[in-house]
Amino acid sequence: MNTVKKEAVMNKNNDDHSQNNDPVATAQTQTVQWYDANPQTFTRAQRGSTTLLFGGLTTLHDKLIEAGLASQGYRARALPAPDNAALQMGKEFGNRGQCNPTYFTVGNLVKYLTALRDEQGMSSEEIVDKYVFATAGACGPCRFGTYVTEYRKALRDAGFEGFRVLLFQNAGGLKQSAAEAGLALTPKFFVMFLKCIIAGDVLNAVGYRIRPYEVQAGSTDAVLEQCQTLVADALRHGRGVTRALRRCRKLLQRIEIDRLQPKPKVSIIGEFWAMTTEGDGSYRLQRFLEQEGAECDIQLITSWALYCIWEAQYDTREAMMLRRRDGEAQADERPLKKLFLLRLARLVLERWFYRYARAAGLTDYHLPDMDGLAEISDPYYPNQLRGGEGHMEVGKLIQSATHNKAHLVLSIKPFGCMPSSAVSDGVQSLITARYPSANFLAIETSGDGAVNVYSRVQMALFKARELAAAEFATALNETKLDDDAAARKLAKRSRLKNPVHYPSHRVAGTAANAVYELA
Ligand code: SF4
């Protein structure tokens, strides 16, 4: 907590006391604690003249949300992905001892507003009047609970006293406070938001599957850009997103690929923001891995939403047990109804995801089974522990090892992250001891030392590459094919040449799976 001390020396008293030589009284000060005024006034009438800033997901998600908000009458702008300059600003204006995502995201907003003031000539008053920032929040238990106060503290110190930061409580659902009038968190808003999240997820996932195998470098990104425009237009004009995704699939199908390239598959796990951001906050690791010849298996935001639903289900069941034990009244008087609604929410979300996935060509993709993840990780990291990714990181590593899902599991852990440090540095050591087949690397993202991080990743990739090559050779052996025979067979099999077709999982590597499918 930041404290402003104003030392008001009381001359008269001091004089008196200095005459008395009273050291306690001489040091008498008047302390004024810093008070977070928490300005939130954003009315419906201000919507037309106020720009709603937001950001923090992947670039594609942010662009789709921008279009979705525009369709609902907001002047919205997604902030660019935070870079190292944002980190420096976060460190300059933020409190000490924060986790790295706090510095990056807080600094990113300060950097954007400072550019408006210093480069575009807007006054601070004008910026405070014409812009608001919306962000997700929670009550903790990690530093996520303090983000919103950090934003306001840094903004005040950077000269934007009174800037409005609206909190989109990820645990609060529709129960919103004073922001309601300007930022109407209605069911229509949430439907739009989910459309953006799921559409962004499926396009990102399909892109990561195709890009490593493209024949012409850059062709996947060029098509994904067209897809972004198609889906954003559909959202902006209230047209069907499913139809737009079908058009995306047709575009994606034109990309020329070669699946018979044995590439190490790298599963990226870790703290939510660090593994999602595509900027300096994760050293742009996704792109680095692809440049090094790897295929990335990313985590989707839909999975995070499923985890939030799982958390609510788990807590409701625990609360039901409490009543039976001590006979006290429960906070939630109708837990069965709540459980029913949560189950319904999970089913709707899953079906929605698979509908969009089918439309975009994300075939044979399976959302994680939250109950299964919870069960296998509970002995190592109890389900009651929350903050960050909770037990999910542990469960994902175990699943990766037992189901042979990746040649390398890379955990991105932000500097100063409480939950992720406990998991990556502590619990995962036990998991790798119990599951020796797991090739696991945890890297800490502090914003500097990128060369050191890249070098560690390259070392882990060396082993992953060898595993992928050996797996591919085994696949050829078992199917009695060689490279040429496999290529000839592939030339005749239009299904496997189709970029949106993904060979069924048998081993970790996509090329080896393609060989098994050819045979
Ligand atoms: S999970 Fe870690 S990095 Fe993320 S907000 Fe919490 S403490 Fe910070």
Side-chain angles (χ1 to χ4, degrees), residues 98-102 141-145 147 271-274 387-389 413-421:
Q98 297 303 305
C99 57
N100 224 28
T102 320
C142 71
R143 292 190 178 94
F144 195 36
Y147 268 40
E271 191 268 345
F272 176 78
W273 181 83
E389 290 272 301
K413 162 177 74 101
F415 174 78
C417 172
M418 296 184 290
S420 201
S421 297

Side-chain angles (χ1 to χ4, degrees), residues 426-448:
V427 185
Q428 301 291 44
S429 311
L430 176 62
I431 304 298
T432 47
R434 294 265 162 94
Y435 299 89
S437 64
N439 183 20
F440 175 74
L441 175 71
I443 51 142
E444 188 174 74
T445 58
S446 63
D448 40 42

Side-chain angles (χ1 to χ4, degrees), residues 54-59 62 78-82 105 108 133 272-273 276-277 301:
F54 65 95
L57 302 177
T58 69
T59 309
D62 285 347
L79 295 178
T105 52
N108 203 34
F133 179 71
F272 176 78
W273 181 83
T276 304
T277 186
I301 296 165

